[in-house]
Amino acid sequence: MMKAKLTFFLLILGSIFFCFKPGYAAADHSPLIHVGIWTHQSSVIVSADCNFTIVDTETSQIVGKFAAKQKVIVAEKPAGIVLNGVPAHARTLRVNVTDEKGITEVNRRGYRGVIEIDSQGTVQGLTVVNTLPLEEYLYGVIGREISTDWPLEAVKAQAVAARTYALYNLREHGAGGIDVYATTDNQVYGGTECETARGIQAVNATQGLVITYHAKPIAAYFHSSAGGYTENSENVWGTALPYLRGVEDFDQGTPHYKWEKQWTAADLNNVLRRAGYKIGALQAIELSPLTSPPVNAADRGVSGRIKSLQLIGSAGRVQIQGTKLRTLLGLPSTLFDIKVVVPVQKAIDLQVTDTYGDTEDKTIEINLPPAAAATGIMNNPAFRRITGSPREMIVFSGFGWGHGVGMSQWGAKVMAEKAPAGAAAYFETILKHYYHGVEIEKLY
């Protein structure tokens, strides 16, 4: 069985190398990855820590020679790319450093590997692509995705998850030869300025290790904090993946475990109206109460994350996805409950010359019109009734930070802190907890 798996991996690895451009080689035998680091740019500033040339990628002709630290403004004009105002007569450029270990700078950030600047893509503006060995790419990912001061086993778990996610996405985007973007659209990559000694140590200690399910690299999603329980993938993105199942998280007491946001009815009405929801004044929210996981409710996932809820207004009602509402309101996660409260001012007579005021939160009862009462709203705990009173607050009390699928980074930290002394491979235990039924295999 192991021999069959290794054969499969070699075939996959061979196909990965086959699709890369000639002349690029990964010394550590890892595949090369094409990272979109800048897009939609009217201009970029290029430099290097050693002498460098800029060449026409299509013809290999040198269009400029520059000294170390010299700044070159590469701009897109109607007639084509210009370098410091001089036409380059090229559509795609490559920056070649004279030192094989040289670092190229783009917009004052350093990058290993090769930098290409493309003006002929499907988007307007310049696109900058960084091509480099996957392991070196990970050096610039780890410090942006997790604190490298955390226990090393948690950092190693992040390194393996990030490597697996990158492999899963090779050639995913296609256009412009980009595999992943350097933003939260994929995983955040910051180049050499984000590299740390412990991050590099974690990457090197796990070199080539990949999370697999049935001998294939998985979609190794991760997030900051699950809020006590992770979520099934289909309840967030609609696709059920057998290794992305909800499991207990251990992030209680961590910074992003619990949160609260408050809105007035008027503020919510404005947000909904701007988003195109024409339901009039918000009168009620229909959502089943949040209970302890695993949750069994039609509108919630196994963790309690909201799949959808109903917004009921004076002019109609609409069903909205939990992920959409999270985006509209800027919420940390979709794992939340809602209550309607109003600060009630009460006078306390202390039998002195002054009367002191105090406040308390009180859940209010609202008398809806008979038509609304007839729908069952009045006695249904799933309905949060709203009057629109100026002092009324709609409180979102939630847990976790992020989509909640896959590995919880804060949960991984807590697990690593409780690892047995000397457990140098405890990162595998962490990964196998958050990804169901997987194996940790060495791909290269």
Side-chain angles (χ1 to χ4, degrees):
M1 181 63 180
M2 181 58 70
K3 183 177 181 181
K5 287 183 178 180
L6 289 175
T7 300
F8 176 84
F9 283 142
L10 290 173
L11 289 172
I12 290 294
L13 190 58
S15 66
I16 290 172
F17 278 116
F18 181 78
C19 69
F20 291 121
K21 298 178 181 179
Y24 299 165
D28 59 8
H29 305 295
S30 67
L32 298 176
I33 187 167
H34 305 278
V35 188
I37 57 174
W38 296 95
T39 59
H40 305 280
Q41 301 295 300
S42 60
S43 65
V44 295
I45 302 173
V46 175
S47 187
D49 64 356
C50 59
N51 294 342
F52 63 100
T53 61
I54 297 180
V55 304
D56 182 333
T57 305
E58 295 177 335
T59 66
S60 297
Q61 295 296 310
I62 296 176
V63 297
K65 293 183 178 181
F66 306 95
K69 301 299 183 181
Q70 186 174 352
K71 300 292 190 291
V72 181
I73 299 175
V74 182
E76 184 180 53
K77 300 296 182 182
I81 296 179
V82 298
L83 306 180
N84 289 338
V86 179
H89 305 295
R91 294 181 298 179
T92 304
L93 303 175
R94 183 170 68 243
V95 182
N96 287 341
V97 292
T98 56
D99 184 342
E100 65 178 9
K101 295 184 179 180
I103 301 298
T104 305
E105 292 183 4
V106 183
N107 291 343
R108 298 181 176 84
R109 290 185 181 179
Y111 297 95
R112 298 171 183 262
V114 175
I115 292 293
E116 289 190 341
I117 304 169
D118 187 3
S119 67
Q120 60 180 349
T122 58
V123 296
Q124 186 177 7
L126 299 173
T127 297
V128 183
V129 180
N130 183 198
T131 300
L132 72 168
L134 177 56
E135 297 299 301
E136 294 184 6
Y137 158 73
L138 294 175
Y139 294 164
V141 169
I142 301 304
R144 293 297 299 270
E145 287 289 0
I146 199 171
S147 171
T148 56
D149 292 331
W150 285 3
L152 189 59
E153 293 307 298
V155 185
K156 288 158 69 175
Q158 178 66 69
V160 177
R163 179 183 297 111
T164 305
Y165 180 86
L167 283 169
Y168 183 86
N169 283 278
L170 283 183
R171 294 298 177 185
E172 178 70 18
H173 296 285
I178 294 173
D179 298 312
V180 294
Y181 288 94
T183 66
T184 53
D185 288 343
N186 294 127
Q187 49 191 4
V188 183
Y189 167 65
T192 57
E193 70 176 25
C194 298
E195 295 179 4
T196 67
R198 292 186 88 248
I200 292 174
Q201 179 185 357
V203 172
N204 292 345
T206 62
Q207 181 180 338
L209 291 179
V210 178
I211 311 166
T212 65
Y213 185 84
H214 290 177
K216 296 180 180 180
I218 70 169
Y221 292 107
F222 50 86
H223 57 280
S224 178
S225 176
Y229 213 87
T230 68
E231 188 53 77
N232 294 348
S233 59
E234 66 271 20
N235 294 330
V236 178
W237 297 307
T239 301
L241 295 172
Y243 47 81
L244 295 178
R245 304 290 87 195
V247 297
E248 181 183 4
D249 194 17
F250 307 101
D251 59 342
Q252 293 83 356
T254 61
H256 299 311
Y257 175 70
K258 193 173 183 179
W259 54 267
E260 183 176 284
K261 301 283 187 179
Q262 296 186 0
W263 296 78
T264 65
D267 288 339
L268 279 182
N269 286 332
N270 288 335
V271 170
L272 295 172
R273 184 172 59 253
R274 288 195 298 266
Y277 296 101
K278 300 177 181 179
I279 60 172
L282 189 62
Q283 293 183 333
I285 300 173
E286 182 182 2
L287 173 68
S288 62
L290 180 61
T291 59
S292 299
V295 174
N296 183 20
D299 56 358
R300 291 185 182 271
V302 65
S303 68
R305 283 172 172 77
I306 296 169
K307 294 191 287 185
S308 65
L309 52 75
Q310 292 276 341
L311 301 175
I312 302 164
S314 58
R317 60 191 295 161
V318 65
Q319 178 172 290
I320 185 171
Q321 299 299 309
T323 51
K324 178 65 175 178
L325 186 63
R326 178 193 172 197
T327 300
L328 287 177
L329 301 183
L331 302 176
S333 75
T334 58
L335 180 56
F336 59 84
D337 211 344
I338 301 173
K339 63 179 179 179
V340 181
V341 300
V342 60
V344 178
Q345 193 77 20
K346 65 180 181 180
I348 304 175
D349 184 4
L350 299 180
Q351 295 183 342
V352 292
T353 56
D354 295 327
T355 299
Y356 294 86
D358 193 12
T359 61
E360 66 177 4
D361 284 346
K362 178 181 179 182
T363 302
I364 62 173
E365 296 295 332
I366 299 167
N367 294 319
L368 288 181
T375 65
I377 291 177
M378 295 303 295
N379 299 311
N380 189 334
F383 285 88
R384 282 68 161 173
R385 298 176 288 279
I386 299 166
T387 65
S389 165
R391 299 177 60 227
E392 181 179 73
M393 300 301 298
I394 301 154
V395 181
F396 293 72
S397 301
F399 301 86
W401 198 283
H403 50 67
V405 178
M407 186 180 74
S408 159
Q409 292 166 319
W410 279 98
K413 176 182 184 289
V414 173
M415 288 187 69
E417 289 171 342
K418 297 179 179 179
Y426 194 76
F427 70 92
E428 295 191 16
T429 300
I430 295 172
L431 294 170
K432 289 182 177 180
H433 172 74
Y434 287 106
Y435 304 107
H436 180 73
V438 300
E439 299 293 336
I440 311 300
E441 306 278 359
K442 190 168 180 63
L443 182 55
Y444 50 84

